[in-house]
């Protein structure tokens, strides 16, 4: 209401400003008041009346508009005026210089009885003769502003002028017009209680103020209604919060606790419990994965236990196998000494060579030996084969003394010599040559036989990665070279039809 009234008053001020000198209508008024010629005054009056009506109708916020003298005599007007029109009877809302605003009052248009706002402004003519313009607001505007509060009978309004005097009252019985408002002095207080009403006051920039009155019963009723609404909202939000908390407990906290229990069970080596579904897809998926992990861990543990059991069995079996060869070696040693005592040289040679081969095989230094030991085992093996097959062949081993202590895997040369004897030598004129040289950081071993040789297909088959049809000996050689030298060793075969065969091993020196 304050904004609406302020806007209406500002509009009245702007309408009245259009009559002030040096406007056209002010010039015409001055000419009219200073001439005595009837021929000049008559058209001036018509012109002034026309301009007054034009200004009032052009501004929709303006109602009754008239020009009057200081004593109240009406010179020009656009609507009929009440006979009892008197500015002294109108409630002054605000005064500023030569402008006076009047608060809501019954319109001075005798054709209407609604409330209106009005303004009186001095025209200030050049002739100096006092003349005033009176402008009322359109009765529809003021009445609609005042009646807007009637939509709700729970509150009422008062309008106070700058002197704290009531100039408009919707409760005239308790707060009569013209009386001072006792709720505040000079607008110092903005709210309080008076005559069983809560009052709230707001001062405007124009100097007047508006007071809203609310019955205590209605105020308390509204307050209780708001309290009840807030309680209902609090209960609703409380129930909703409990529901959310229950959902969080059911969908988050409880599954997490269940998941934690499963982890604790795993830490306590309890791997055979079955996870209970939580009916939450994400957690059920985690529990499913955890169950799979528990199954895999359990299987791994069983596999480790089985391997440990097998390892223990293998240790016992290994001891048994070690006992038997040692007994055999001791027996062979006894046979060798009996052969010596009985001058049996061949038996002595067989027993001695076989005993040395067994000793080389049973040495406890893993899979690694030296080039010297490997070449000696080849020599003993060749002796045994010569006696066994009752034929002779030339055997030569050529190696530098500085290479004899070079570490190499066990038995990588004997299978090659064995193949040369069984597949290469065709008659008693055969020969086997073993030659060892150093080329940069590699040890190159060549084993040559003067046998029938190998075809290209046989060489390719031996050197390929296929294991079938090659023989256990060559498979062992290729596997040891790959394992011990990490693929850095190589094996090659040089052979031709009736040209013999040379097997070349190139191995890094460690």
């Amino acid at each position: 209401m304050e904004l609406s009234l302020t806007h209406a008053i500002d509009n009245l001020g702007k309408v009245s400003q259009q009559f002030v000198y040096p406007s056209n209508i002010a010039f015409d008024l001055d000419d009219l008041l200073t001439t005595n010629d009837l021929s000049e005054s008559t058209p001036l009056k018509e012109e002034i009346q026309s301009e007054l009506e034009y200004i009032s109708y052009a501004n929709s916020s303006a109602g009754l508009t008239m020009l009057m003298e200081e004593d109240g005599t009406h010179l020009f007007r656009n609507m009929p005026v009440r006979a009892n029109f008197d500015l002294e009877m109108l409630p002054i809302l605000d005064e500023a210089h030569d402008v006076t605003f009047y608060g809501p009052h019954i319109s001075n248009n005798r054709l209407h009885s609604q409330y209106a706002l009005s303004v009186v402004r001095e025209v200030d003519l050049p002739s100096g003769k006092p003349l005033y313009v009176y402008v009322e607001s359109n009765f529809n505007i003021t009445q609609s502003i005042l009646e807007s509060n009637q939509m709700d009978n729970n509150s009422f309004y008062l309008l106070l002028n700058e002197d704290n005097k009531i100039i408009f009252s919707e409760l005239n019985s308790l707060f009569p017009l013209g009386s001072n408002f006792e709720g505040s002095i000079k607008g110092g207080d903005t709210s309080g209680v008076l005559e069983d009403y809560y009052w709230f006051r707001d001062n405007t920039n124009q100097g007047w103020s508006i007071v809203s009155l609310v019955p205590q019963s209605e105020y308390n009723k509204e307050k209780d209604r708001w309290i009840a609404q807030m309680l209902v909202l609090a209960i609703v939000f409380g129930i909703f919060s409990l529901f959310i908390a229950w959902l969080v407990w059911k969908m988050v906290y409880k599954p997490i606790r269940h998941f934690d229990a499963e982890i604790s069970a795993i830490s306590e080596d309890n791997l055979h419990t079955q996870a209970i579904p939580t009916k939450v897809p994400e957690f059920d998926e985690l529990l499913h994965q955890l169950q799979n992990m528990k199954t895999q861990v359990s299987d791994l543990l069983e596999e480790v236990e089985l391997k440990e059991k097998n390892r223990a069995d293998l240790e016992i079996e290994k001891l048994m196998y070690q006992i038997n060869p040692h007994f055999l070696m001791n027996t062979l040693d006894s046979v060798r000494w009996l052969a010596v005592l009985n001058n049996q040289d061949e038996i002595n040679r067989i027993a001695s060579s076989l005993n040395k081969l067994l000793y080389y095989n049973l040495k406890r230094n893993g899979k690694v030996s030296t080039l010297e030991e490997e070449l000696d085992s080849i020599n003993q093996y060749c002796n045994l084969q010569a006696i066994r097959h009752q034929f002779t062949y030339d055997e030569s081993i050529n190696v530098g003394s500085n290479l004899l202590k070079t570490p190499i895997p066990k038995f990588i040369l004997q299978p090659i010599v064995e193949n040369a004897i069984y597949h290469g030598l065709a008659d008693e004129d055969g020969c086997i040559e073993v030659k060892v040289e150093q080329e940069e950081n590699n040890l190159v071993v060549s084993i040559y036989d003067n046998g029938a040789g190998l075809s290209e297909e046989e060489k390719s088959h031996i050197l390929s990665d296929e294991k079938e049809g090659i023989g256990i000996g060559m498979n062992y050689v290729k596997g040891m070279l790959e394992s011990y030298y990490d693929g850095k060793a190589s094996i090659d075969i040089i052979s031709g039809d009736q040209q013999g065969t040379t097997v070349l091993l190139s191995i890094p020196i460690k």
Side-chain angles (χ1 to χ4, degrees):
M1 179 173 284
E2 176 192 345
L3 293 175
S4 300
L5 290 174
T6 302
H7 181 67
I9 292 171
D10 287 340
N11 286 338
L12 288 178
K14 292 176 182 178
V15 173
S16 66
Q17 186 70 30
Q18 299 181 44
F19 292 88
V20 177
Y21 183 85
S23 64
N24 290 334
I25 193 171
F27 278 112
D28 292 341
L29 283 171
D30 189 63
D31 292 342
L32 178 65
L33 295 176
T34 56
T35 184
N36 293 320
D37 189 349
L38 184 60
S39 62
E40 293 181 1
S41 62
T42 300
L44 284 173
K45 288 180 180 180
E46 293 177 356
E47 181 68 23
I48 292 171
Q49 182 65 34
S50 177
E51 290 184 6
L52 184 146
E53 291 177 354
Y54 175 77
I55 293 173
S56 61
Y57 286 118
N59 295 275
S60 61
S61 60
L64 172 62
T65 304
M66 61 182 176
L67 293 167
M68 60 186 183
E69 295 179 345
E70 189 173 9
D71 59 359
T73 302
H74 308 159
L75 298 178
F76 299 93
R77 65 180 184 275
N78 65 341
M79 295 178 183
V81 182
R82 292 182 186 277
N84 61 346
F85 173 75
D86 186 0
L87 290 177
E88 298 295 331
M89 300 299 294
L90 300 181
I92 297 176
L93 186 62
D94 187 28
E95 290 182 301
H97 304 296
D98 57 348
V99 183
T100 302
F101 292 96
Y102 297 93
H105 57 82
I106 299 300
S107 175
N108 285 299
N109 183 349
R110 72 169 181 262
L111 300 180
H112 299 287
S113 59
Q114 288 86 359
Y115 280 97
L117 299 172
S118 60
V119 60
V120 174
R121 181 190 293 271
E122 186 176 358
V123 178
D124 193 18
L125 298 175
S127 62
K129 187 172 182 177
L131 197 67
Y132 299 88
V133 60
Y134 173 85
V135 182
E136 276 188 3
S137 64
N138 189 315
F139 69 92
N140 291 328
I141 294 177
T142 306
Q143 193 68 24
S144 63
I145 294 174
L146 297 177
E147 289 178 354
S148 63
N149 187 49
Q150 296 179 3
M151 299 295 294
D152 186 357
N153 294 325
N154 296 334
S155 62
F156 305 91
Y157 287 110
L158 304 178
L159 294 182
L160 311 180
N161 62 15
E162 192 173 3
D163 297 327
N164 204 46
K165 187 173 293 186
I166 300 174
I167 61 173
F168 174 78
S169 174
E170 288 187 334
L171 285 176
N172 199 47
S173 59
L174 296 177
F175 303 94
L177 293 174
S179 62
N180 289 327
F181 182 68
E182 300 178 359
S184 62
I185 304 298
K186 298 296 183 183
D189 298 331
T190 59
S191 63
V193 180
L194 188 63
E195 299 290 346
D196 294 329
Y197 285 87
Y198 285 100
W199 61 268
F200 306 92
R201 178 173 180 168
D202 192 16
N203 297 320
T204 67
N205 295 330
Q206 296 172 343
W208 58 277
S209 58
I210 183 169
V211 177
S212 176
L213 300 171
V214 182
Q216 284 185 325
S217 58
E218 293 295 334
Y219 183 89
N220 293 331
K221 182 180 178 181
E222 181 74 6
K223 182 179 69 174
D224 293 340
R225 186 173 70 87
W226 274 98
I227 292 175
Q229 289 179 350
M230 296 304 295
L231 288 175
V232 171
L233 288 175
I235 292 173
V236 170
F237 278 110
I239 294 174
F240 182 74
S241 299
L242 291 175
F243 177 72
I244 293 297
W246 177 78
L247 283 180
V248 172
W249 176 81
K250 180 178 178 60
M251 301 182 67
V252 179
Y253 180 76
K254 185 178 179 181
I256 287 179
R257 295 297 301 168
H258 185 59
F259 194 77
D260 182 67
E262 291 293 326
I263 297 296
S264 299
I266 293 176
S267 64
E268 295 173 359
D269 296 334
N270 189 0
L271 303 176
H272 301 289
T273 59
Q274 188 68 28
I276 301 174
T278 62
K279 298 182 179 180
V280 179
E282 292 78 5
F283 284 102
D284 286 344
E285 178 65 22
L286 285 176
L287 289 174
H288 177 69
Q289 297 296 333
L290 185 63
Q291 189 66 34
N292 290 340
M293 186 191 73
K294 288 165 57 178
T295 302
Q296 294 175 359
V297 171
S298 179
D299 293 342
L300 287 174
L301 290 176
E302 291 178 0
E303 183 179 351
V304 169
E305 291 177 358
L306 181 61
K307 286 183 177 180
E308 286 295 321
K309 183 177 180 300
N310 291 338
R311 188 180 67 81
D313 294 341
L314 287 174
E315 289 292 334
I316 296 174
E317 188 175 353
K318 179 181 177 182
L319 291 175
M320 294 176 61
Y321 281 119
Q322 286 178 345
I323 293 173
N324 292 335
H326 280 89
F327 173 75
L328 178 59
M329 288 174 60
N330 293 333
T331 303
L332 287 174
D333 194 54
S334 299
V335 170
R336 186 176 69 84
W337 283 109
L338 288 174
V340 171
L341 293 176
N342 292 282
N343 297 318
Q344 299 291 330
D345 293 335
E346 288 190 355
I347 295 176
N348 179 25
R349 288 171 55 198
I350 291 175
S352 177
S353 297
L354 182 58
N355 204 3
K356 289 180 179 181
L357 279 177
L358 288 175
Y359 177 76
Y360 178 64
N361 184 29
L362 296 176
K363 283 181 64 177
R364 300 192 178 196
N365 56 353
K367 299 179 181 180
V368 182
S369 180
T370 62
L371 180 61
E372 181 181 17
E373 293 173 330
E374 183 72 6
L375 294 175
D376 182 66
S377 71
I378 290 176
N379 187 34
Q380 302 302 330
Y381 176 78
C382 290
N383 291 336
L384 287 175
Q385 293 298 333
I387 298 172
R388 177 186 175 191
H389 295 287
Q390 296 294 318
F391 68 86
T392 60
Y393 53 87
D394 294 333
E395 171 194 352
S396 66
I397 297 176
N398 186 6
V399 57
S401 60
N402 61 322
L403 300 177
L404 292 176
K405 301 301 180 181
T406 303
I408 61 172
K410 279 185 178 181
F411 297 114
I412 63 170
L413 301 182
Q414 179 182 320
I416 300 175
V417 174
E418 182 179 355
N419 284 341
I421 293 176
Y422 278 99
H423 305 292
L425 300 182
D427 50 41
E428 294 185 358
D429 295 329
C431 68
I432 294 176
E433 297 179 1
V434 180
K435 185 178 180 180
V436 182
E437 297 177 334
Q438 181 179 354
E439 295 182 0
E440 297 182 353
N441 293 327
N442 290 336
L443 195 69
V444 179
V445 181
S446 64
I447 301 174
Y448 167 76
D449 69 79
N450 63 345
L454 298 174
S455 65
E456 292 295 329
E457 182 180 355
E458 290 174 328
K459 289 194 298 181
S460 299
H461 183 62
I462 293 173
L463 296 175
S464 67
D465 293 333
E466 297 179 4
K467 295 183 178 180
E468 296 182 1
I470 298 178
I472 297 175
M474 288 303 297
N475 276 333
Y476 170 80
V477 173
K478 293 171 68 176
M480 286 300 295
L481 292 177
E482 179 70 24
S483 174
Y484 188 72
Y485 294 104
D486 296 327
K488 296 179 181 179
S490 63
I491 181 171
D492 194 15
I493 299 176
I494 301 174
S495 181
D497 189 22
Q498 302 301 321
Q499 296 180 6
T501 302
T502 301
V503 179
L504 293 175
L505 296 182
S506 178
I507 56 179
I509 297 176
K510 290 194 176 183

